[in-house]
């Protein structure tokens, strides 16, 4: 009688935490959908034979001996849509990637393509099959029998240490505490429940547990199936990672460079809990889990934990972490001033603080920002605090933005206080009249700059009148102190300013903004404007290009609208995209906007300064902040993000009425220029407890990576009152590839102990089909039309002739890059890998096919040649022939690129430099040609576009050559390590291969 059992999903009580459990499920069998080459799917019952030598399926038109695959004929097991059949357009949208897998088998490398009801079932079959492929020949008996494993021995030794009475049993309470200590973050109630279950199942109730029950409880509670699955993928013996296995994992999957066996042994000795494992250099499942959770394996690039950007650029070339009402701990209107707000902001690396000075009751100025007279602080106390904490988190300059609302006598006291308290830290040198740009953060290290109004040079008295700033008047109206009426006609208010305070202002002189043309003609580099959120928003929408250009030389500060009486925050990305350096945030108000600000300034050592993208700094460049697609000369990238699981997720704070069950889902958001802003969510993990499995792949296109931020938000789908569980925000440039844990934070940005998301990150270039464009029906209809970037006519004959010389080199550069990219994608697809895979993974995959066969065809890599050919001796199956042909195409296109790149690069740079020679003469030529108004604007835009395109395409070609050389190095490296390379002594030096072209000067 035919079995009809099938798993709609993995039963909740069945945790696949060992190879034995996987094989047990395969022996029972389950229903899978078999996919045929005509894209039709048929439900079949698949089962592993009792002798574990073959997999069978029924019903089948074939006789029972043919409706099977022998384990010894299996070449490879692939997870996801990694064969032409599963990639075909007719199927690809019918089921998620993680529910598909393929068995490549036989001498002709045929594929059996299968779809399961859930990712868990896929994991069990893939893990079990991979184990049997490696060990089926040697040990057909079920794993888990025989001598105790490394892990069991270690857990038993932990039990023995806790067995103080040496009775072979320990109290349940002690056992619970022991497991809690070994797995921080796990709930006591979860552990207690597990012991009750096991005691009941083994019919051994009581207040004590024996060693075998303790080991079983630990293995069931502390084995994360997704990590066990990963270990099995890379392990030579499916029980632990040896040094070579770990090295392969770090290089191939984690993208680490220069990993040595010594480094791997260090990791083993640091994270492997068992003494035997440490001595033998083995990393078992517990050590591997600890390593993946550690800071050494963080998602945040460790390079960015220290200052790693060029700090010698002008101050206007950086985003500067800025606070609006730092002293407030509550909202603007009902808030109370608290001195700890300043300490908190400075501790977070804030480099610009606003101080509003008011007349104090005792003749001394005070700082307060709420309508309560009781909430003010003496200015002297605030300055003392700033002096004490100014440089604890960052050595780079601090800007104090003074908004003066006090009388001239109290201004003098404020100036004396600043001089006396801050002393040498205060920057008082006059600006260099010969310079064109502000000094760099490096030059201003350890200095405090005062931003404020300055008396005109014509004023010789001890005080004078200056135009006032709008900022701070909303509060004055509420305080009832608005005794200065706005002048008739809507002009700027005038206020009295003392000479002493005026003399403290040097590099950040506040001036009113008129228009961009006036600024271009008359504003000096040390003068800066403040914009209200509303005015700045209008400029970013109506004239983003002019605002970007303005911010190349001048600092601009954006302050929140006075209508935000709840101290809510504006979106800093709205202004960063136009190059505005100082977006003043209400640090005391948590939420999305503050997450973006805090996450953004976490990079570059959290020093409060982040270098702006090059395209926004260069004197001549075309950048449209509101672009809806990729930018000229900036390589668009694809972020492949797999959200695998969550650990120790807390309940939402405001959900007191709820039970213990959380039903979480994850939102991944990209914030950046409008073309990049996107949001994808996973499905909800139902009834999953604190450790949900999501196993979902998300993809984002990033057009300006330097300005993009990735935010993870975990939300509860079954909430009462509050859905927010946790979040983490990270700049795109700080992401590390591979398997990583995301350290989750609360709404206020505080770390949540032991709460993490387990994810896989891969980043690929969009160029040349990097998006993994689907093959199949659409692929047969017609080829993708190649898009060439071209120059634009300026309307000035002499200039256009220069740019016209670049037409052919631009086409050649695109062809060289895209031919290599397309060849790479084809080769990776035939190897059953994604576009995110590296070359080492491809060579290792091919070698695995060849090594897993008794009648393997002889294929070798001739490493004696710089461009190593892959050579076959004798007849080879069709799939392998296709792989060899794709490899040959990739090698040939790479060779053409490497040998032609320098000449094409030279032509592009020559055209760019010839264009730049016209730049200084541009205004004279415009006048001569009689260009005005719209025509003039179009000519300037086209000129900037052309310069940007030429520099950008030359840059892309330079990087493409470096990548092609790196691929050759990986081929040599992998060929030697996996055994299919011959004549390997001539392996090229990576330094020789990776020698880059000269960088293009800004």
């Amino acid at each position: 009688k035919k079995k009809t059992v099938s798993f709609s999903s993995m039963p909740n009580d069945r945790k696949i935490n060992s190879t034995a459990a996987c094989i047990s499920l395969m022996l029972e069998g389950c229903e899978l959908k078999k996919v045929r080459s005509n894209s039709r799917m048929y439900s079949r019952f698949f089962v592993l034979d009792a002798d574990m030598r073959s997999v069978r399926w029924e019903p089948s038109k074939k006789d029972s001996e043919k409706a099977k695959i022998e384990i010894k004929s299996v070449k490879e097991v692939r997870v996801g849509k990694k064969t032409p059949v599963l990639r075909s357009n007719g199927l690809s949208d019918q089921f998620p990637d993680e529910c598909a897998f393929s068995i490549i088998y036989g001498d002709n490398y045929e594929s059996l393509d299968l779809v399961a009801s859930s990712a868990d079932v896929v994991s069990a079959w893939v893990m079990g099959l991979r184990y049997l492929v490696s060990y089926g020949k040697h040990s057909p008996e079920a794993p888990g029998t025989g001598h105790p494993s490394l892990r069991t021995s270690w857990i038993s030794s932990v039990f023995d240490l806790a067995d103080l009475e040496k009775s072979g049993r320990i109290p349940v309470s002690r056992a619970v505490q022991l497991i809690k200590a070994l797995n921080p973050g796990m709930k006591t109630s979860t552990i207690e429940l597990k012991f009750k279950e096991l005691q009941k199942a083994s019919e051994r109730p009581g207040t004590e547990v024996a060693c075998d029950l303790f080991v079983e409880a630990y293995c069931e509670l502390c084995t994360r199936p997704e990590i066990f699955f990963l270990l099995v993928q890379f392990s030579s013996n499916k029980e632990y990672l040896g040094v070579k296995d770990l090295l392969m994992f770090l290089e191939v999957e984690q993208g680490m460079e220069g990993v040595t066996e010594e480094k791997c042994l260090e990791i083993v000795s640091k994270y492997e809990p068992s003494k035997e494992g440490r001595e033998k250099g083995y990393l078992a499942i517990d050590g591997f889990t600890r390593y993946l959770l550690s800071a050494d394996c963080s998602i945040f690039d460790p390079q960015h934990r220290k200052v790693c950007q060029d700090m010698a650029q002008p101050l206007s070339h950086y985003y500067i972490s800025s606070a609006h009402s730092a002293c407030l701990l509550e909202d603007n209107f009902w808030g109370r001033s608290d001195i700890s707000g300043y300490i908190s902001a400075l501790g977070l690396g804030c480099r610009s603080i606003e101080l509003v000075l008011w007349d104090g009751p005792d003749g001394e100025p005070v700082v307060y920002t709420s309508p309560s007279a009781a909430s003010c602080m003496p200015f002297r106390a605030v300055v003392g605090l700033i002096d004490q904490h100014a440089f604890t988190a960052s050595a780079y300059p601090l800007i104090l933005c003074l908004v003066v609302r006090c009388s001239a006598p109290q201004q003098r006291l404020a100036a004396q206080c600043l001089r006396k308290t801050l002393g040498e830290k205060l920057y008082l040198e006059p600006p260099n009249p010969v310079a064109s740009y502000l000094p760099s953060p490096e030059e201003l290290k350890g200095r405090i700059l005062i931003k404020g109004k300055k008396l005109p040079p014509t004023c010789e008295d001890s005080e004078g009148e200056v135009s006032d700033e709008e900022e701070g008047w909303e509060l004055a109206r509420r305080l009832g102190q608005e005794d200065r009426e706005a002048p008739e006609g809507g002009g700027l208010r005038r206020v009295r300013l003392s000479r002493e305070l005026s003399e403290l202002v040097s590099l950040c002189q506040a001036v009113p903004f008129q228009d961009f043309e006036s600024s271009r003609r008359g504003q000096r580099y040390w003068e800066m404007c403040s914009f209200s959120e509303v005015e700045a928003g209008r400029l970013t929408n109506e004239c983003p290009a002019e605002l970007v250009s303005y911010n190349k030389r001048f600092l601009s500060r954006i302050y929140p609208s006075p209508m935000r009486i709840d101290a809510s925050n504006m979106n800093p990305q709205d202004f960063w995209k136009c190059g505005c350096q100082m977006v003043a945030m209400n640090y005391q108000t948590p939420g999305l906007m503050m997450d973006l600000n805090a996450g953004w300034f976490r990079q570059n050592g959290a020093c409060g300064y982040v270098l702006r993208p090059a395209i926004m700094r260069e004197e001549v460049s075309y950048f449209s902040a509101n672009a809806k697609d990729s930018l000229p000369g900036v390589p668009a990238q694809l972020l492949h993000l797999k959200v695998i699981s969550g650990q120790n997720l807390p309940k939402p704070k405001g959900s007191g009425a709820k039970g213990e069950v959380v039903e979480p889902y994850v939102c991944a958001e990209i914030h950046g220029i409008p073309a990049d802003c996107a949001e994808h969510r996973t499905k909800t993990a139902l009834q999953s407890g604190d450790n949900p499995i999501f196993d979902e792949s998300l993809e984002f296109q990033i057009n300006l990576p330097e300005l993009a931020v990735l935010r993870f938000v975990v939300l509860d789908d079954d909430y009462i009152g509050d859905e927010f569980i946790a979040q983490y925000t990270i700049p795109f440039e700080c992401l590390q590839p591979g398997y990583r844990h995301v350290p989750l934070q609360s709404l206020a940005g505080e770390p949540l102990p032991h709460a993490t998301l387990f994810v896989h990150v891969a980043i690929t270039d969009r160029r040349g089909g990097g998006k993994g464009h689907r093959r199949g029906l659409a692929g047969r209809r017609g080829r993708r039309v190649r898009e060439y970037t071209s120059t634009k006519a300026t309307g000035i004959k002499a200039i256009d002739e220069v740019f016209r010389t670049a037409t052919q080199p631009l086409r050649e550069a695109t062809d060289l890059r895209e031919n290599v990219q397309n060849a790479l994608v084809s080769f990776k697809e035939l190897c059953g890998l994604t576009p995110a895979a590296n070359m080492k993974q491809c060579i290792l995959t091919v070698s695995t096919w060849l090594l897993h066969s008794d009648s393997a065809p002889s294929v070798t890599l001739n490493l004696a040649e710089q461009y190593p050919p892959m050579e076959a001796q004798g007849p080879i199956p069709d799939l392998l022939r296709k792989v060899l042909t794709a490899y040959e195409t990739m090698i040939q296109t790479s060779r053409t690129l490497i040998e032609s790149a320098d000449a094409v690069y030279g032509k592009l740079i020559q055209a760019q430099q010839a264009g730049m020679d016209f730049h200084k003469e541009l205004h004279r030529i415009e006048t001569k040609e009689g260009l005005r108004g719209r025509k003039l604007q179009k000519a300037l835009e086209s000129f900037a576009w052309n310069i940007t395109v030429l520099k950008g395409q030359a840059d892309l070609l330079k990087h493409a050559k470096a990548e092609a050389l790196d691929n050759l190095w990986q081929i040599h490296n992998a060929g030697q390590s996996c055994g299919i390379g011959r004549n390997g002594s001539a392996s090229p030096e990576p330094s020789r291969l990776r020698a880059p072209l000269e960088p293009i000067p800004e």
Side-chain angles (χ1 to χ4, degrees):
K1 188 183 174 184
K2 184 174 87 70
K3 278 188 175 179
T4 54
V5 181
S6 73
F7 296 102
S8 58
S9 65
M10 195 68 71
N12 281 335
D13 59 346
R14 180 171 201 152
K15 195 165 183 184
I16 298 296
N17 56 15
S18 69
T19 320
C22 297
I23 290 174
S24 166
L25 179 133
M26 291 164 69
L27 287 164
E28 287 176 28
C30 73
E31 203 168 277
L32 300 169
K33 286 189 170 74
K34 185 170 178 274
V35 185
R36 292 216 180 133
S37 54
N38 61 5
S39 298
R40 290 188 178 172
M41 294 198 284
Y42 303 89
S43 286
R44 297 289 181 261
F45 187 82
F46 283 77
V47 66
L48 175 67
D49 271 357
D51 63 3
M52 291 191 281
R53 293 184 188 277
S54 49
V55 171
R56 297 177 181 275
W57 60 92
E58 53 184 41
S60 171
K61 290 176 184 174
K62 300 176 182 177
D63 62 61
S64 60
E65 282 309 300
K66 286 187 178 173
K68 71 171 189 178
I69 291 176
E70 290 190 352
I71 297 294
K72 68 179 183 184
S73 73
V74 174
K75 309 289 184 199
E76 186 194 359
V77 186
R78 296 179 184 174
V79 187
K81 301 169 192 172
K82 301 283 176 58
T83 63
V85 171
L86 289 177
R87 268 197 212 102
S88 69
N89 274 10
L91 280 176
S92 52
D93 297 329
Q94 290 185 29
F95 49 86
D97 192 68
E98 50 274 5
C99 286
F101 70 106
S102 303
I103 302 170
I104 312 296
Y105 67 98
D107 292 337
N108 290 323
Y109 292 77
E110 295 169 71
S111 73
L112 173 64
D113 299 301
L114 301 167
V115 177
S117 55
S118 75
D120 290 336
V121 176
V122 172
S123 296
W125 275 90
V126 171
M127 204 185 296
L129 284 166
R130 283 178 177 166
Y131 180 91
L132 292 170
V133 167
S134 298
Y135 290 96
K137 301 170 201 166
H138 312 298
S139 57
E141 76 279 350
T145 58
H147 68 279
S149 70
L150 196 69
R151 186 186 200 195
T152 308
S153 304
W154 165 66
I155 302 165
S156 302
S157 70
V158 170
F159 180 89
D160 292 341
L161 285 172
D163 182 10
L164 305 173
E165 297 79 18
K166 302 301 170 201
S167 63
R169 301 175 72 79
I170 61 171
V172 172
S173 57
R174 195 183 301 165
V176 170
Q177 289 310 310
L178 205 52
I179 288 181
K180 202 167 165 60
L182 292 169
N183 196 350
M186 189 172 284
K187 286 180 182 170
T188 307
S189 58
T190 306
I191 307 169
E192 287 171 344
L193 189 64
K194 179 55 68 179
F195 276 120
K196 280 178 188 167
E197 279 176 20
L198 294 175
Q199 283 179 322
K200 187 179 178 184
S202 61
E203 297 179 353
R204 289 187 284 175
T207 56
E208 292 188 322
V209 291
C211 184
D212 61 330
L213 201 130
F214 178 78
V215 170
E216 192 181 347
Y218 178 87
C219 288
E220 287 199 18
L221 287 166
C222 303
T223 307
R224 284 175 48 191
E226 71 276 25
I227 292 183
F228 183 74
F229 185 42
L230 189 57
L231 180 134
V232 169
Q233 261 183 284
F234 282 88
S235 166
S236 311
N237 79 338
K238 311 302 175 223
E239 169 115 355
Y240 52 75
L241 296 175
V243 168
K244 282 190 164 56
D245 300 332
L246 181 57
L247 190 138
M248 194 65 68
F249 170 73
L250 296 176
E251 277 194 344
V252 169
E253 204 55 69
Q254 302 298 86
M256 286 171 69
E257 291 184 356
V259 188
T260 60
E261 291 196 2
E262 290 72 31
K263 172 68 181 168
C264 293
L265 283 168
E266 274 177 41
I267 290 171
V268 171
S269 64
K270 188 172 178 182
Y271 296 105
E272 175 53 40
S274 71
K275 189 182 175 188
E276 185 189 352
R278 289 195 299 271
E279 286 170 356
K280 292 182 176 175
Y282 297 157
L283 194 64
I285 180 69
D286 298 289
F288 189 43
T289 305
R290 287 180 183 189
Y291 170 64
L292 287 173
L293 279 163
S294 73
D296 288 345
C297 201
S298 166
I299 191 170
F300 191 91
D301 187 342
Q303 266 194 305
H304 275 279
R305 295 198 187 284
K306 53 187 187 298
V307 175
C308 58
Q309 294 176 349
D310 176 8
M311 299 305 283
Q313 301 265 342
L315 210 58
S316 58
H317 286 186
Y318 298 84
Y319 295 113
I320 303 169
S321 180
S322 307
H324 180 232
S325 305
C327 59
L328 276 186
L329 292 184
E330 292 169 34
D331 65 63
N332 267 340
F333 191 62
W334 304 109
R336 55 186 176 80
S337 296
D338 187 310
I339 211 155
S340 65
Y342 289 108
I343 302 171
S344 170
L346 291 169
L348 290 168
C350 178
R351 296 289 83 197
S352 166
I353 282 181
E354 175 199 40
L355 300 175
V356 186
L357 275 63
W358 301 88
D359 279 335
D362 304 322
E364 283 206 21
V366 293
V367 173
Y368 64 106
T369 45
S370 86
S372 159
S375 67
C376 63
M377 290 178 287
F379 179 68
R380 192 179 300 278
V382 175
V383 174
L385 197 76
I386 289 169
D387 178 53
Q388 197 179 336
H389 296 276
F391 301 105
T392 50
S394 170
Y396 292 100
L398 174 67
I399 301 170
L400 295 185
C401 302
L402 297 188
V403 180
V404 180
R405 295 279 173 266
C406 60
S407 60
Q410 293 210 8
Q411 289 175 30
R412 292 189 190 99
L413 289 176
Q416 288 164 19
C417 171
L418 286 165
R419 278 183 187 270
K420 186 179 174 184
T421 312
L422 303 178
E424 290 295 308
K425 293 175 189 167
L426 206 54
Y427 185 90
L428 299 172
E429 288 98 68
N432 179 358
V434 187
S436 302
Y437 286 92
L438 288 160
S440 69
E442 192 60 46
E443 291 172 80
L444 297 169
K445 246 181 173 178
R447 307 303 291 272
I448 295 176
L449 312 180
I450 305 295
K451 178 241 169 195
K453 291 286 177 181
K454 208 165 170 62
L455 290 173
T458 51
C459 175
E460 294 176 2
D461 300 332
S462 61
E463 57 184 74
E465 269 200 351
V466 292
S467 61
D468 191 15
E469 294 184 81
E470 280 301 303
E471 198 172 358
W473 278 116
E474 186 66 23
L475 181 63
R477 279 191 280 276
R478 293 195 191 122
L479 286 163
Q481 293 188 10
E482 193 184 9
D483 53 356
R484 305 169 182 81
E485 288 299 317
E488 284 181 31
L492 291 166
R493 290 184 179 87
R494 309 290 292 174
V495 291
R496 302 294 292 174
L497 179 68
S498 76
R499 177 165 296 282
E500 286 88 338
L501 206 54
S502 169
E503 285 172 350
L504 299 184
V505 177
S506 168
L507 293 178
C508 297
Q509 182 181 340
V511 295
F513 178 76
Q514 291 172 313
D515 55 64
F516 290 117
E517 187 54 34
S518 305
S519 294
R520 190 166 78 86
R521 295 189 184 283
Q523 191 172 335
R524 293 166 298 189
Y525 72 82
W526 61 84
E527 294 175 334
M528 65 175 286
C529 300
S530 287
F531 301 87
S532 76
E533 173 190 351
V534 175
E535 186 187 4
R538 182 182 61 78
L539 294 175
T540 61
N541 287 323
E542 292 176 10
C543 33
E546 286 96 325
L547 189 53
V548 170
S549 185
Y550 172 86
N551 284 321
K552 288 176 185 179
R553 274 192 69 202
F554 309 116
L555 286 176
S556 59
R557 179 174 181 274
I558 318 297
Y559 58 89
S561 160
M563 300 309 290
R564 294 184 181 272
I565 59 169
D566 58 350
S568 59
N569 275 307
M570 50 193 165
N571 186 342
Q573 284 278 4
D574 290 345
F575 308 104
W576 289 340
K577 71 180 183 185
C578 288
C580 300
Q581 300 88 347
M582 301 160 71
V583 182
M585 303 294 285
N586 289 307
Y587 269 56
Q588 72 278 17
T589 309
L592 165 62
M593 305 314 173
M594 200 56 216
D595 290 346
L596 294 177
N597 192 74
W600 179 251
F601 285 106
R602 211 173 268 138
Q603 63 187 310
N604 200 28
C607 73
Y609 284 83
V610 171
L611 191 60
R612 293 191 330 206
I615 199 169
M616 296 166 78
R617 303 192 311 263
E618 287 150 3
E619 193 178 354
V620 180
S621 66
Y622 178 89
F623 173 67
S624 173
N626 294 326
K628 295 284 186 284
D629 198 3
S630 54
L631 303 164
V634 179
Q637 297 192 307
L638 279 174
L639 170 64
H640 310 264
L641 186 66
K642 186 170 188 181
V643 181
I644 303 168
S645 61
Q647 292 73 46
N648 307 312
L649 299 181
K651 281 199 308 176
K653 267 195 171 169
S655 60
K658 272 191 65 164
E660 287 300 305
V661 178
V662 174
E663 296 192 340
Y665 64 96
V666 179
C667 267
E669 306 166 349
I670 292 287
H671 299 265
I673 59 170
D676 291 344
C677 291
E679 177 184 316
H680 295 311
R681 61 159 284 179
T682 67
K683 59 183 178 293
T684 301
L686 301 168
Q687 304 290 317
S688 59
D690 310 326
N691 303 299
I693 297 282
F694 301 104
D695 231 342
E696 204 154 336
S697 300
L698 313 172
E699 195 176 274
F700 298 91
Q701 180 177 312
I702 316 290
N703 295 291
L704 185 57
E706 290 173 278
L707 203 57
V709 175
L710 170 63
R711 181 175 185 252
F712 295 94
V713 198
V714 188
L715 301 165
D716 185 4
D717 215 358
D718 180 35
Y719 66 95
I720 298 172
D722 183 12
E723 61 178 339
F724 179 88
I725 295 174
Q727 64 84 26
Y728 181 73
T729 310
I730 180 171
F732 180 81
E733 297 279 280
C734 296
L735 283 172
Q736 288 220 92
Y739 288 93
R740 307 285 173 183
H741 280 92
V742 177
L744 294 172
Q745 298 179 338
S746 69
L747 190 64
E750 292 151 354
L752 293 169
H754 313 299
T756 54
L757 283 179
F758 187 43
V759 300
H760 181 265
V761 176
I763 296 163
T764 58
D765 293 339
R766 193 192 66 170
R767 312 192 294 269
K771 198 160 187 169
H773 54 272
R774 293 169 183 146
R775 299 298 166 97
L777 300 174
R780 286 196 289 274
R781 283 197 202 107
R783 294 182 62 186
R784 187 171 65 91
V785 178
R786 183 163 293 178
E787 292 174 8
Y788 293 98
T789 308
S790 56
T791 55
K792 293 181 178 180
T794 61
I796 302 167
K797 191 179 176 185
I799 295 176
D800 286 342
E801 278 176 9
V802 166
F803 287 132
R804 212 170 287 125
T805 62
T807 306
Q808 191 55 33
L810 280 171
R811 286 184 74 88
E812 286 174 25
T814 303
D815 286 338
L816 286 170
R817 287 188 295 102
E818 296 239 343
N819 289 345
V820 171
Q821 288 297 328
N822 289 335
L824 274 170
V825 170
S826 296
F827 179 55
K828 288 174 185 179
E829 283 188 355
L830 283 164
C831 290
L833 298 167
T834 64
N838 59 35
M839 189 50 59
K840 196 163 189 176
Q841 283 170 292
C842 296
I843 302 301
L844 293 173
T845 300
V846 174
S847 74
T848 308
W849 298 348
L850 301 171
L851 298 173
H852 278 171
S853 174
D854 296 328
S855 57
S858 178
V859 175
T860 54
L861 270 172
N862 185 356
L863 301 181
E865 297 188 30
Q866 188 189 353
Y867 301 97
M870 200 180 273
E871 299 160 346
Q873 278 77 42
I876 57 169
D878 188 43
L879 175 69
L880 210 51
R881 184 179 291 107
K882 285 180 181 172
V883 169
L884 263 62
T885 306
Y887 175 84
E888 182 60 29
T889 306
M890 181 202 68
I891 286 290
Q892 288 309 321
T893 53
S894 298
R895 180 175 191 159
T896 308
L897 167 67
I898 291 164
E899 292 174 356
S900 311
D902 289 3
V904 177
Y905 176 89
K907 289 175 188 172
L908 291 172
I909 290 304
Q910 194 178 351
Q912 188 233 5
Q913 287 170 346
M916 282 304 288
D917 289 343
F918 282 106
H919 179 240
K920 287 172 186 164
E921 299 291 308
L922 210 52
H923 285 291
R924 185 183 62 77
I925 298 169
E926 289 158 10
T927 312
K928 187 182 168 188
E929 296 278 332
L931 293 176
R932 289 187 191 84
R934 184 74 196 111
K935 278 189 176 177
L936 172 61
Q937 188 61 35
K938 192 91 177 74
L940 290 171
E941 266 184 28
S942 297
F943 182 83
W945 166 276
N946 294 345
I947 294 294
T948 306
V949 161
L950 291 172
K951 181 186 182 306
Q953 292 298 313
D955 257 341
L956 292 178
L957 190 59
K958 174 181 72 173
H959 292 309
K961 180 183 175 182
E963 279 174 19
L965 290 168
D966 186 58
N967 281 337
L968 288 182
W969 180 78
Q970 285 188 45
I971 290 169
H972 276 89
N973 194 311
Q976 283 180 325
S977 65
C978 71
I980 65 166
R982 60 183 176 85
N983 309 324
S985 56
S987 172
E989 283 296 310
S991 56
R992 184 170 67 83
L993 277 182
R994 294 179 181 189
L997 295 156
E998 284 301 303
I1000 302 165
E1002 284 190 10

